[in-house]
Amino acid sequence: MMIRTALLATAFLALPTFGQDNLLDLLGEEETGPVYTTASFKTTRVINSHSLENTAHGVLDFRISHRFGFLSGGVNEFFGLDNADVRLGLDYGISDRLMIGVGRSGFEKTVDGFAKFKLLRQCDDGCGMPITLAVVASSSMTTAPAKDVPWYGPGRQDYFSHRLSYSWQMILGRKFSEGFTMQLMPGVVHRNLVELASDRNDLLNIGVGARAKLTKRLAINAEYFHVLRDPVPLYTNSLSVGFDIETGGHVFQLHFTNSTGMFERAFISETTGRWEDGDIHFGFNISRVFTLHNPKKKPVE
Amino acid sequence: MNEEKKNKRTNMTKLKNIALALAFVPSALIAQERFATRNGHIHFFSGTAVENIEADNNKVTSVFDATSGAIEFAALVKAFEFEKALMQEHFNENYMESNTFPKATFKGKVSGLSAEQAKIPGTYAVEVTGDLTIHGVSKPVTTKGTMTVEAGGVIKAKSEFSVKPEDHGIEIPGVVRKNIAETIKISVDLAYAKM
């Protein structure tokens, strides 16, 4: 009995050494750290609003955003192409989770700045996190003369604090597949000064943004912001649809939007265009990145 | 009678011992001279007049069996590190499609280093032949290299070869054709330890 067992054992001991098909299996499972999902959006903006993407650590992103006039301007305004609003911005990735940026817009001559931090990051492998959660805090200051700012109104004292507005936003998103990403953006815009006593200083809003990839280098994006406020005759909700085209170091975003301004206060609370009336801007964002510092580079051995 | 029984028992014990010894023999006889690493280095370089693109992967796994000459490599595509973050993203998203094809692998044979030689320090010229799988497409590859046997069961291996992206079904669009070389130089550099 013992002999038979021993012989059997012999047979089995010999087997694995001959039958080894994959040598690498001998190493067992690889221990890799968490692999975070990448390329959920082509760039750090969906269209006007922030996407769940950050500028990578050490990368400077120069952004030129441009909105022509309303298509409803007709032939006389060359369908909006005679006018343009521009925002020039510089964003920088302090780490892979934290980015900051500043911008200057022609719209109400506004300077804005923001910080975006990723609290949770969706993982492909190595951790079970199904979503990305980011927070964006931004503020803006108009530098236009008081008489040119619609919400100043006549006879109002021009305090510095009146010129400031803030926005806080939470971005809750997931890359569902290679081709589809969606995010929800609940937030609040605080305006130190508003036009009418009946308008609130704090506006709760919720945005939704999504992108679908058409090809490897072309995606279609859309975003919509619903502002929770009593109907104000002038203002509408922001809706934008556009394409992302990627060519090497650039991303071109071409889109149609009813918002004129390109910072939170402007596009969330001061959108005046109505899609149904043809109040649509054709616009584009161009992003060009520069690697200022490479955190991964190790000294040569 | 008693004597006979005793004898039989002794014989049994002897037989048992032999069988037990046999049980361990195969593993000893074909004790395989195997070497492995988890942190091999692969570097690739694409040089054109427009720009040079290069990346490093320091987490390459490989097992080399000196007895049979079999060798295998696996490199996680996402573990290639570029100077520019955007390049790395495009490499993964647009060219290698690393979500669909997470690993590049090689499976083949080494000739020029026998199991006996793997115990004797020295540098040996070797030839490696096998299948290279990148982007889900396999291609036969033959290349030359060196294996340096060092004391303590360490073997250092080096090799260089080139691959064409188009051979592995990697499309390069017209706009960036001038930025990416037709043949990419790959250098492999690893230090195996005895398993």
Side-chain angles (χ1 to χ4, degrees):
Chain A
M1 194 56 203
M2 270 295 279
I3 302 171
R4 222 183 291 162
T5 322
L7 282 171
L8 260 173
T10 312
F12 281 117
L13 267 171
L15 257 181
T17 39
F18 289 120
Q20 193 65 53
D21 244 5
N22 290 303
L23 281 175
L24 285 170
D25 291 348
L26 295 172
L27 285 180
E29 272 297 298
E30 279 168 73
E31 285 165 41
T32 46
V35 179
Y36 297 111
T37 309
T38 54
S40 302
F41 283 91
K42 292 269 184 218
T43 180
T44 57
R45 305 297 198 286
V46 181
I47 288 168
N48 286 313
S49 75
H50 279 277
S51 75
L52 55 81
E53 290 292 342
N54 275 23
T55 301
H57 185 183
V59 172
L60 180 76
D61 184 8
F62 176 48
R63 305 185 63 88
I64 304 163
S65 309
H66 197 111
R67 304 288 180 268
F68 290 105
F70 285 136
L71 295 179
S72 55
V75 179
N76 207 29
E77 294 287 328
F78 198 36
F79 299 98
L81 299 184
D82 285 351
N83 294 305
D85 264 289
V86 177
R87 178 182 181 272
L88 297 177
L90 281 175
D91 295 353
Y92 183 71
I94 291 176
S95 75
D96 279 336
R97 305 176 77 173
L98 177 65
M99 72 181 280
I100 54 168
V102 290
R104 170 66 165 75
S105 301
F107 186 82
E108 294 168 4
K109 297 196 184 300
T110 304
V111 179
D112 67 280
F114 73 88
K116 173 156 71 170
F117 184 72
K118 284 191 187 184
L119 289 165
L120 303 173
R121 288 181 283 180
Q122 187 184 342
C123 255
D124 284 339
D125 202 7
C127 78
M129 183 52 62
I131 55 150
T132 296
L133 176 64
V135 285
V136 189
S138 59
S139 60
S140 58
M141 177 182 79
T142 176
T143 63
K147 62 176 174 49
D148 297 337
V149 181
W151 32 273
Y152 248 93
R156 272 194 168 151
Q157 195 67 39
D158 185 9
Y159 294 119
F160 172 72
S161 60
H162 279 170
R163 296 177 166 272
L164 301 177
S165 304
Y166 304 91
S167 164
W168 295 274
Q169 216 170 36
M170 200 160 90
I171 302 176
L172 193 74
R174 175 171 164 80
K175 185 179 187 178
F176 287 92
S177 69
E178 237 345 77
F180 185 70
T181 306
M182 193 168 162
Q183 63 177 37
L184 284 175
M185 300 166 279
V188 57
V189 172
H190 174 85
R191 302 163 301 164
N192 277 353
L193 182 67
V194 291
E195 193 176 357
L196 304 165
S198 59
D199 205 358
R200 288 193 214 136
N201 290 81
D202 293 310
L203 288 179
L204 290 173
N205 59 82
I206 177 145
V208 55
R211 82 105 190 235
K213 263 169 94 172
L214 301 176
T215 70
K216 276 184 209 163
R217 292 172 184 81
L218 177 68
I220 183 164
N221 285 1
E223 70 176 41
Y224 172 72
F225 276 88
H226 189 81
V227 183
L228 304 166
R229 65 172 162 196
D230 301 326
V232 180
L234 188 60
Y235 299 124
T236 58
N237 289 322
S238 173
L239 172 68
S240 319
V241 181
F243 295 95
D244 283 4
I245 301 161
E246 174 216 302
T247 62
H250 293 89
V251 177
F252 294 95
Q253 298 187 290
L254 306 176
H255 33 249
F256 295 96
T257 174
N258 59 344
S259 300
T260 311
M262 287 157 272
F263 53 96
E264 278 74 9
R265 173 194 177 123
F267 68 80
I268 294 174
S269 70
E270 289 177 57
T271 291
T272 55
R274 288 173 192 280
W275 273 78
E276 62 273 24
D277 297 339
D279 298 342
I280 303 161
H281 298 286
F282 172 62
F284 59 82
N285 301 342
I286 297 171
S287 151
R288 168 79 222 191
V289 295
F290 303 91
T291 303
L292 296 191
H293 154 74
N294 183 5
K296 283 175 196 148
K297 193 146 199 167
K298 286 170 200 142
V300 182
E301 285 167 35
Chain B
M1 187 70 182
N2 247 351
E3 195 88 335
E4 238 173 80
K5 234 183 190 175
K6 212 177 177 183
N7 265 343
K8 210 178 177 185
R9 200 177 289 161
T10 346
N11 280 344
M12 271 294 268
T13 327
K14 260 186 199 162
L15 213 63
K16 224 187 278 176
N17 283 343
I18 290 168
L20 262 172
L22 259 174
F24 292 104
V25 163
S27 47
L29 261 183
I30 37 169
Q32 313 228 329
E33 290 293 312
R34 281 187 180 138
F35 301 86
T37 179
R38 276 182 189 280
N39 44 22
H41 174 216
I42 289 180
H43 173 86
F44 78 72
F45 179 81
S46 149
T48 63
V50 184
E51 66 177 337
N52 293 335
I53 300 169
E54 53 191 321
D56 293 281
N57 187 332
N58 289 303
K59 292 174 190 158
V60 178
T61 56
S62 177
V63 175
F64 167 54
D65 184 336
T67 314
S68 64
I71 194 163
E72 284 182 24
F73 288 89
L76 214 55
V77 175
K78 281 193 177 166
F80 277 95
E81 295 189 338
F82 289 68
E83 195 187 334
K84 293 179 180 169
L86 194 68
M87 267 186 189
Q88 190 166 330
E89 187 176 314
H90 292 167
F91 172 74
N92 281 291
E93 198 192 3
N94 299 341
Y95 300 97
M96 298 292 276
E97 300 178 83
S98 60
N99 279 343
T100 320
F101 311 107
K103 277 181 182 173
T105 59
F106 177 84
K107 204 169 172 176
K109 290 255 182 212
V110 175
S111 54
L113 184 72
S114 66
E116 278 64 47
Q117 286 171 315
K119 291 171 189 158
I120 309 162
T123 301
Y124 302 86
V126 295
E127 193 174 86
V128 187
T129 308
D131 287 319
L132 176 70
T133 309
I134 297 174
H135 191 243
V137 179
S138 293
K139 276 270 157 187
V141 167
T142 300
T143 180
K144 289 186 164 36
T146 58
M147 282 188 152
T148 305
V149 178
E150 294 185 355
V154 173
I155 297 181
K156 290 192 171 161
K158 276 188 183 187
S159 179
E160 278 184 17
F161 59 101
S162 36
V163 294
K164 289 184 173 175
E166 57 170 304
D167 284 350
H168 293 275
I170 298 166
E171 280 172 48
I172 294 169
V175 271
V176 292
R177 185 140 306 144
K178 283 182 179 156
N179 301 50
I180 299 171
E182 257 180 57
T183 52
I184 313 282
K185 281 185 207 156
I186 298 187
S187 35
V188 184
D189 178 2
L190 10 86
Y192 290 104
K194 185 106 170 55
M195 269 182 100

